[in-house]
Amino acid sequence: MSDALTHPETAPSTTESPSTARRPAERTFHGDTFIDDYEWLRKKEDPEVVAHLEAQNSWTLARQEHLAPLRQTLFDEIKGRTLETDLSVPSRDGDWWYYARTVEGQQYPIHARYPVAGPDDWTPRVLEPGEPVPGEQVLLDQNAEAEGYDFFALGSLDVSDDGARLLYATDTAGDERYTLRVRDLATGEDLRDEVRDTAPGAMFAPDGEHIFYLTVDEAWRPWRVWRHRLGTTGSDDVVVFEEPDERYWVGVGLSRSKKYLQIELGSKVTSESWLLESDDPTGEFRVVWPRREGVEYTVEHAVLPPSLVEPVEAPVSTSSTHDVLLILHNKDALNFELVSSPVPAPGETVPPEAATVVVPHDPAVRLEGVSASERYLVLYYRREAISRSAVLSLVEPVETGLDRLDPRVAWDFQEISFGQSLESVGAGVGVWEQPNLKVGYTSFVTPSSLYLYDVASGERTLLKQQPVLGGYDPGDYDQRREWAVAEDGTRVPISLVWRKDKVRFGVSTGSTSEGGTNPESSTADGGAPAEPAPLLLYGYGAYESSIDPYFSVPRLSLLDRGIVFAVAHVRGGGEMGRAWYDDGKLAAKRNTFTDFVACGRHLVGTGWTASDRLVADGGSAGGLLVGAATNLAPELFAGVLAGVPFVDALTSMLDPTLPLTVTERDEWGDPLDDPEVYAYMRSYTPYENVADDASRYPRILATTSFNDTRVLYVEPAKWVARLQAAGAPAMLKIEMSAGHGGVSGRYSAWEQIAFEHAWVLDVLGLADH
């Protein structure tokens, strides 16, 4: 582990936190004046601010010095369970199989490829970690690119269709400002083409001569799409699309069929798509459906057989296939519906009324996406708080159109499941011509697994399962779904995972579980632990993001020490459909926080844990969640872990010049112009609602990054300063060379996880275990 985590450069007092100067600044809006003592910490370039942050960091490290051996142990456990020299399952594109590999001792992956054996080579070669790959060509070694930098991240990585050039974009500060370059793969040399300050997501057009990339406005919003021709100077680049409305983010891509270039833009509630034939990259994009406020949609190009397009009473088509757009939208369909629409001709649009509904709206099923290939379609959706994938073959059952399927029943997707009550299944379509699917599967106890799925037969072949060294046995662990009841009567799902021999179960205490209540039940069928277990409760609850079952190697170190890990699927997320999201945003945002508190109280009340054995965990918007929950119920938690926390949300939302503020108004509201929104946010924002006497608050650790452009470092810095002034046992750990995602490099990331997990174990009295 690095010295930064084990030996702080200074030796400050471990009993008193650094004193943060109070410099009162008045903030008055809508008749309300708030005295902000710590807004001066926003001056990032001020040496006094930097010195204060470094002092907080040194104090935190000094306070945690006694945990250095435990941190080293946790780091060693993560490292010891990880196959450090490993590689991904190759994916075919054109005449090459592409993959990434890691090498023991190196922070970053190496991107490489090997040639296909022939046109029918659709099964990836079994590659042995550490063994030479015949015919391998290294495309990009991130370790070499990162040399000399404290931080390194890729924002774009694309290979031209002819396989001759590599486009890549790098960030070496953590501020998400990427420099775009092009490499000749025959020589390994970079071309003169270079563009600075781009956003992620640059790509080649199929001709390999034109590049499309994005730039951002002053609020770091991607708003312009540019076209660059290789060999020309940046001054010759052309803006092909510009979105002046500050609510909308813009992206650019290529349909899987590679027939269309696509520009997609969206606010939090409205979206719009534009198309251009990819063989005419200098042509004019045309809109699919003109934007309508409150209507979201996505577009996927597909080529369908007549049975899925033409009505049964229509004459037999002379055409074997039909070009269509599959559009997933929410107009008069809260949980979205899927329609098939004609492709608009150049210079034209096709009205939404011309579309045919193929998967209707279902109030119990949230449709989330569709992917098309030459041979099948995959539908992604969510039911009962679990993500699911289903497949539909596009191969005609008969050669003539006489017996073709009735289109009213032809859109019969077949769900792919592995039979666990808590699982995550995701089918990857791959390239257009690929004859089979790759299906990813995981759960809280099952390492990530990748299968080759034969669409015709349903047969699955395991390609790779995430290695877990040291004899991991999934049978040693268990997972379960519980339901808490919120203060308004809403049932809120909770997912739990634990090690069986560390959590002893007795008779049921009447908890509500997935299988109902049974007074004699035990373990996973509804019983509660015989005694309260230490428990880490994670939550997020924003942007309709869902926390699906997932396996984690670092989490094993907690489970093996007896900690139960739980996820509170609170409103504001997307686990239970669009209404679940709507009930946790804007004027309903308080539900997110009270749901989390209700989940904590449920786990305490049913005997899963106790307040002195419960730690809350959340990052970014989840940091806002745990910060607000702390103010609402400080007695409920023994500790609160808040990563890059959005705890000064009102101050940020009052400043439209900050990154994300305008685009976030559909999520939080506009407190600048709406006094009701201002008053509502003022009532829950963690920073402004810290109790005057916070001496009874739980222990708090906030982590952040100096170059974070999404949640500025100043938010947790101010929050911790105010907590400390009010007597709360709060600490701040800040990475001075990192961004919103934290440190870069896998070993550095493991060190950060070890630091946080050691703190959690210390709070729960398990530091000696």
Side-chain angles (χ1 to χ4, degrees), residues 470-482:
Y472 173 74
D473 182 356
D476 292 339
Y477 303 84
D478 213 341
Q479 58 180 6
R480 176 159 130 196
R481 171 66 50 78
E482 291 264 341

Side-chain angles (χ1 to χ4, degrees), residues 600-655:
R601 287 177 173 155
H602 171 87
L603 294 169
V604 170
T606 54
W608 272 99
T609 190
S611 292
D612 62 351
R613 312 209 79 191
L614 176 60
V615 172
D617 179 14
S620 195
L624 164 64
L625 164 63
V626 297
T630 301
N631 289 335
L632 288 174
E635 77 289 346
L636 182 60
F637 308 104
V640 174
L641 178 60
V644 290
F646 188 41
V647 284
D648 192 18
L650 180 53
T651 303
S652 293
M653 292 303 299
L654 286 167
D655 186 351

Side-chain angles (χ1 to χ4, degrees), residues 139-178:
L139 306 176
L140 189 75
D141 183 345
Q142 287 188 223
N143 300 284
E145 303 297 330
E147 191 171 347
Y149 296 105
D150 293 331
F151 180 91
F152 180 84
L154 278 180
S156 304
L157 189 71
D158 192 32
V159 178
S160 60
D161 261 17
D162 61 6
R165 299 184 182 95
L166 174 75
L167 177 158
Y168 68 103
T170 61
D171 167 19
T172 55
D175 58 3
E176 300 184 50
R177 287 159 170 79
Y178 297 87

